[in-house]
Structures are given as C-alpha cells and as structure tokens.
Amino acid sequence: MQERDDIQQPPRLDALIVPPGGVAAPILPSAQLPEGWLPRVLRGRDLMVLCLFAVLLVTNVPLIAGAGGAAFLYWGLGFVAFLIPSALVCAQLYRLFPGEGAVYLWANRAFGSFWDAFLGLFCNWWPGAIGLTIEAGACITSIQALNANWLQVPWQQGLAEIGALLLAQALCLLGRRTLHALFNTVFAAYLVMFLLLGLAGLIFAASGHHVQGDFSARGWQIQPANYPVFATVIVSLLGMAVPLNLGAEVVQRKNASKYLVAGTLITMGVYLLATFAVVVILPPGDLANPAFLTEIFSQTFGPFLGTVLGDGNYIILVIYFICAIAAFNSMFARLLLVAGIDRRLPAAMRRLNAHRVPFNATMVQTLFNVVFVAIVFLIAPAFAPSIQGLSFAVFLVTINGASTVWNIAMIGLFLCGMILFARYARHLAGNWVIPPFFLYLACLAGIAAASFAMYSTFFAGSPLPQLLNNADWFYWVLLVTLGSLAVGAAYSFLVPEAEDLVILTGGKEPAKNTLPLPEPDLFGGDFSLPSAPSQYPGNAPGSLSSASDPRLANQWFTASGRSAPHEKRGMV
C-alpha cells in the first residue's frame, strides 16, 4: 500500500461531542488523526498475530501445569471469566470508537480527563513497557536451554537481555509490511511448536506411559495453595486489546474485530494442548527445567529426535522472543504517540520516521528497559553479591507489581465498556456483537477475575520463600504497585486536560450552554450534518481544509511526521 505524504484533512481541535443527556466535551486531537498520516496497512491476520504475540507465552505453561488437573479448571475459568469477556468488550468498544491508542481513547470517552491519562494511558503503558524485559528474559531462558553452561551469572544475563532489546529495536526500523511479514512467518513456526507439543502429549498418553501429573481427585481441587496459578492464568491472557492501540492503521476497520474471535480460539486451543503435554509427560520436579521442551520431545520421540526437535524449537524461540520484543515495542509505542499528539508527552513522541513509524517512542521504551535491566542484573548484584538470586527476586517483584497495575487497567476497561454501552445504547441498537445483557455480564466477570488475580498475587504466598517470606512478598509487591500508581496519578494530574488542549491549540473554549452536535453515525463514521467534524479518521466530508484555516495547516500533522518548526517542545 502506497503511503501518503499529503494531508488533506487537518483536524478540528475545537470539535465537541455530546452524549445523550451529557455535557459538551472536546475531542482529543489524537482522536482526529487525518487520513493518511498513519498509513492503513494492517490486515486481519496481522492483528491476530499481534494479539497472539501478546497472550501466548509458552514459558508460562509449566508454571500452570504444576497444579495438575486443577490447571485445566483454572484455564477454563480464565477463558470464561476473562479471555472471552475481554474479546467481546474490546470488539464492541472498537466498533463504537475505533482509533489510535484505543484503550486511551475509550477511557477518555468514558471517564474524561485525569482518568483517561491514568487508567487509559499510564496503567496500560507501564506494564506493557516492562513487558519488553519479560520477553527478553524469555529469550535468555531459551538460549540457556540450548546449553546449560551459558549465561549463568547475572551480569551475563543482563548484557544478553540488553543485546536482545537493541536487536529488537533495530527491527523497528523496518517498514511496516516487511516487519509484519516477519512477524507472521516467525509466529507460524511458533504455532507449529505448540502443535508438536500437543502431538507429543497425545502420543505419550496413547502409548500407555505413566502419566506424570496429578489427575487424582485431590489434583482437581481448587484451593488456596494453588490460587497463584489463577493469577498466572490471568497474566497469560492479558493483552487482547493491545493490537487495537494501532486502531487507526487497520485497512478494514469494520472487520477488525474478527481477529479477536480467531485469537481467542487459537489461544484456548494451544494453551490446553501445551498444558496437557506438560502435565502428562513432565515429572513435577522437572517443571522448572529451562529445557523442558527437549525433555518432552525426548520422552516421546527418543533421545536423538527429541534433542533435534528441542534444539530446533529453542532456536525458533530465541528468534520469536526477539520479534515479540519488537511487537510489544511497536504496540505500546502507540500510547506514547497519542500522548505526544495530545501534548501530554514531549513533541518528539509524535514524530514519525520515513516509514511512518513512531521510532522515537520505540527508542524511549527500549532505553527504559535497558536501564531497568542494567539496574536489576548489573548494579543490584554488585551492591549485594552475597545474596544469591537477588536479581531474579527484584525482577519477579517488579513484574508482579506491574501485572497488578495491568489488572487495574483491565478493570478500568470493563468499566469503560459498561459506561459507554449504556451511554450509547440507542446507537448500538442492531449493532451489538452479542445481546447487551451478556456484554454487561462479561464486564462483571472480567472485573471479578482481575480482582481475584490481584488478591492471589498479594495473599497466596511468596513464590520465593527462600528469599522473601509471605509478609515481605506482600510488602514489596504492594510497594511497587502503590509506587507505580502514585507516579501515574502525579503524571495524570500534571498533564493538560482535554479542555485545556482546545485552548492550547487555538480552538474555542466550550461555552457553558454549548448546543450538542448531532450524534455520530457510529457505524458509518460521519456526523449527520456535513459541516460537523468527524471523530473518526478520514470520514468527515466537512473537515476544515488547509486553505480554509491556515492556522491548522500542518500545525499538528506534517507530511514528514515531524512537528511544525514554530511549535514549542515538550509538554505545554
């Protein structure tokens, strides 16, 4: 698809949208991106692969399989109470409000200022940004699986993770179609690995071998001792909404939500297959083995073929996790992009490179993770060399605090759904993805699942009792969580509100008695009056042109993707 450099429809910054019975509120500049400023190149398959990059992590499977038969019950609860509700709510919200940085846009439309920056932006961005380090850690674990003598000390692991982060950053230099073609190819190989795992489990069970996992009546019990498994399940299923951060770059937006159906079905199928293989073949004492794939394949296909399959798959995993870092970086950089457009971050965040990619935003995220890795694996061990496992403890506490923040963001997402579905029920008549009663139930189920996952994270016990007892675990995870929320709240309080943006960009301040504009045709994309601005990219026949309003010409969105020369730098 040929990229457009000419911007024919600059945004109206003084546009107002009024929900039924509501108060006039300005539309964020990021919700009015002109057609062509971000090329629409993403197809349904691309969105599905990005979704599966976000939710499929094979290294989580042994953690869940340790629960024996209860692992399948927890997967079932996670699918019904969280994964499926997430997909349904995201599909309905995207049908209602498509746009770049979708979770941020939805929070703005539901809650208004402060909460859009706090719940929609910060609470989604911070866990996603630290997710780059999680994927880098999985890459290093895959390298260690190839040779147990590699990368044994923290400083080696830290340097290797930094190398993986920088290599993934280099991938972000590629054009979008080239990058997504690479993602699709690598993910296909990753999916084959899951299918091989499932096949190995079926062959092993059908051959009459002794099943290693606990399938007794006790093994199927859900009890406090295995509550952390449910928290791991929910963490594994976070991310269905993440590809919609690129919502303005989708070729066929009306069909974009179909990826959620395919992504949900594939996620459920491959996680169940992989868990079955691990529970059936791996002894409980080997669940922590980094080379568990090689052990599974060797038990089923013999030592030689098993080693070949295992090593081949770990090489694929190394490549896959580097691509996963780039995918996470690309998706969460869109939140920094829209924040830059809305002057809630410095202007550099909204600049695009020659491929129309927010490369500055991706670089900031990479550097953020490089600093974090350096602190955890290089600096912390130097100050406490006698404490074995300190780096892993710091890493684990941080990611559990971040996952708690992401669960809070998901609760916010489900609340967005309930608010916006009720507010725009009249426009959604005949356009519900499922009957509204079941959508509201899905929102409630998602809130309950995320809340219980947070409870399990704090109160189900320390996963590192040799380093942190239960009380210390609770304290440190709570400290990371509250510290993160405090930073997010302070940021959200300081940034310009939506009303301020209208004044800052030269628009008109909303009058107290502003008459509401006609409600938008939410499924056609245009307001009913041709002279009114659209909240959707490229669908407004009456948008201001550069000729009619020179003040808006190239003020926000220039052909090069860079801010205009006269524009102030930083947040104003």
Side-chain angles (χ1 to χ4, degrees):
M1 180 178 182
Q2 186 176 1
E3 297 181 354
R4 292 180 52 185
D5 289 331
D6 57 319
I7 302 301
Q8 301 294 337
Q9 297 174 337
R12 281 271 299 266
L13 302 182
D14 56 344
L16 301 176
I17 181 171
V18 183
V23 180
I27 301 174
L28 292 171
S30 61
Q32 305 172 76
L33 299 180
E35 184 73 16
W37 191 72
L38 288 171
R40 293 168 64 172
V41 298
L42 295 179
R43 301 179 177 90
R45 182 178 61 180
D46 302 322
L47 290 172
M48 182 192 71
V49 169
L50 288 175
C51 170
L52 294 171
F53 266 110
V55 298
L56 276 184
L57 190 60
V58 69
T59 53
N60 283 340
V61 173
L63 302 176
I64 296 164
F72 298 96
L73 298 180
Y74 279 123
W75 275 127
L77 286 173
F79 295 153
V80 173
F82 192 80
L83 179 68
I84 295 174
S86 298
L88 292 173
V89 171
C90 289
Q92 191 69 71
L93 284 172
Y94 187 74
R95 181 176 292 189
L96 186 60
F97 288 112
E100 198 76 355
V103 290
Y104 166 65
L105 171 63
W106 301 336
N108 174 261
R109 301 321 312 162
F111 302 120
S113 295
F114 178 82
W115 293 106
D116 58 354
F118 180 67
L119 281 177
L121 181 60
F122 179 82
C123 288
N124 278 285
W125 175 81
W126 153 239
I130 207 68
L132 274 66
T133 296
I134 297 174
E135 300 293 340
C139 179
I140 302 314
T141 301
S142 300
I143 294 174
Q144 291 173 323
L146 291 170
N147 190 318
N149 296 319
W150 291 349
L151 306 177
Q152 288 299 298
V153 295
W155 70 265
Q156 294 174 340
Q157 297 166 7
L159 291 179
E161 288 196 21
I162 290 172
L165 290 167
L166 295 178
L167 185 56
Q169 177 63 37
L171 292 180
C172 294
L173 284 169
L174 299 174
R176 299 190 192 189
R177 285 310 323 155
T178 303
L179 183 60
H180 285 286
L182 175 63
F183 287 167
N184 295 344
T185 301
V186 172
F187 183 80
Y190 185 60
L191 188 60
V192 169
M193 180 203 68
F194 274 100
L195 296 177
L196 281 174
L197 266 179
L199 178 63
L202 293 173
I203 293 175
F204 188 88
S207 301
H209 291 89
H210 173 68
V211 174
Q212 299 292 336
D214 186 2
F215 283 102
S216 66
R218 183 178 179 181
W220 288 91
Q221 291 179 0
I222 293 179
Q223 51 189 327
N226 55 30
Y227 283 172
V229 173
F230 186 70
T232 305
V233 166
I234 297 303
V235 169
S236 301
L237 301 177
L238 287 167
M240 293 298 289
V242 174
L244 295 179
N245 287 341
L246 296 88
E249 303 167 55
V250 179
V251 175
Q252 295 181 333
R253 293 173 188 163
K254 290 184 179 180
N255 299 325
S257 59
K258 290 182 179 180
Y259 90 85
L260 292 163
V261 177
T264 299
L265 294 176
I266 293 173
T267 298
M268 292 191 295
V270 298
Y271 264 142
L272 289 176
L273 277 176
T275 303
F276 175 77
V278 173
V279 172
V280 167
I281 300 174
L282 274 188
D286 292 348
L287 292 174
N289 179 11
F292 73 94
L293 290 177
T294 302
E295 183 174 352
I296 287 175
F297 292 138
S298 296
Q299 292 282 351
T300 305
F301 303 113
F304 176 76
L305 183 56
T307 301
V308 171
L309 288 174
D311 289 349
N313 277 285
Y314 278 115
I315 292 172
I316 291 172
L317 282 179
V318 171
I319 300 171
Y320 169 82
F321 285 124
I322 291 173
C323 289
I325 298 170
F328 265 72
N329 202 354
S330 177
M331 290 185 284
F332 285 97
R334 266 53 181 190
L335 293 177
L336 300 185
L337 170 69
V338 294
I341 291 170
D342 293 337
R343 296 195 176 188
R344 291 176 167 180
L345 282 177
M349 293 300 99
R350 66 172 176 260
R351 294 178 187 152
L352 308 180
N353 67 5
H355 293 296
R356 316 295 292 166
V357 172
F359 187 76
N360 288 354
T362 62
M363 179 60 75
V364 166
Q365 293 184 150
T366 296
L367 294 177
F368 171 81
N369 281 272
V370 167
V371 171
F372 175 71
V373 169
I375 292 172
V376 172
F377 291 96
L378 303 180
I379 298 175
F383 280 96
S386 61
I387 303 178
Q388 297 296 321
L390 176 63
S391 296
F392 183 67
V394 173
F395 173 75
L396 201 60
V397 166
T398 303
I399 64 172
N400 274 272
S403 69
T404 302
V405 173
W406 203 347
N407 276 310
I408 292 172
M410 287 304 300
I411 291 174
L413 176 66
F414 291 121
L415 289 175
C416 280
M418 297 179 73
I419 292 169
L420 294 176
F421 299 158
R423 185 178 296 168
Y424 292 97
R426 178 165 61 89
H427 291 281
L428 287 168
N431 290 285
W432 296 97
V433 294
I434 59 171
F437 172 76
F438 294 105
L439 268 179
Y440 288 118
L441 280 183
C443 290
L444 293 175
I447 291 171
S451 300
F452 187 75
M454 290 191 292
Y455 168 84
S456 300
T457 299
F458 284 112
F459 297 105
S462 170
L464 298 171
Q466 68 277 16
L467 285 178
L468 297 172
N469 59 35
N470 291 346
D472 289 339
W473 170 261
F474 172 84
Y475 170 78
W476 286 110
V477 174
L478 181 65
L479 183 64
V480 171
T481 303
L482 294 181
S484 301
L485 296 177
V487 171
Y491 162 79
S492 304
F493 178 78
L494 293 172
V495 298
E497 296 185 354
E499 293 80 2
D500 300 327
L501 292 171
V502 175
I503 302 173
L504 288 170
T505 55
K508 297 178 181 179
E509 185 175 5
K512 293 183 179 179
N513 297 319
T514 302
L515 293 175
L517 291 172
E519 284 290 346
D521 175 3
L522 297 172
F523 307 96
D526 301 335
F527 281 92
S528 55
L529 291 182
S531 59
S534 170
Q535 59 178 314
Y536 304 116
N539 290 327
S543 296
L544 293 177
S545 66
S546 301
S548 63
D549 191 350
R551 173 180 61 82
L552 291 177
N554 296 324
Q555 179 179 4
W556 282 89
F557 308 105
T558 64
S560 66
R562 295 182 178 273
S563 54
H566 60 275
E567 190 175 26
K568 293 182 179 179
R569 304 301 177 191
M571 291 184 291
V572 289

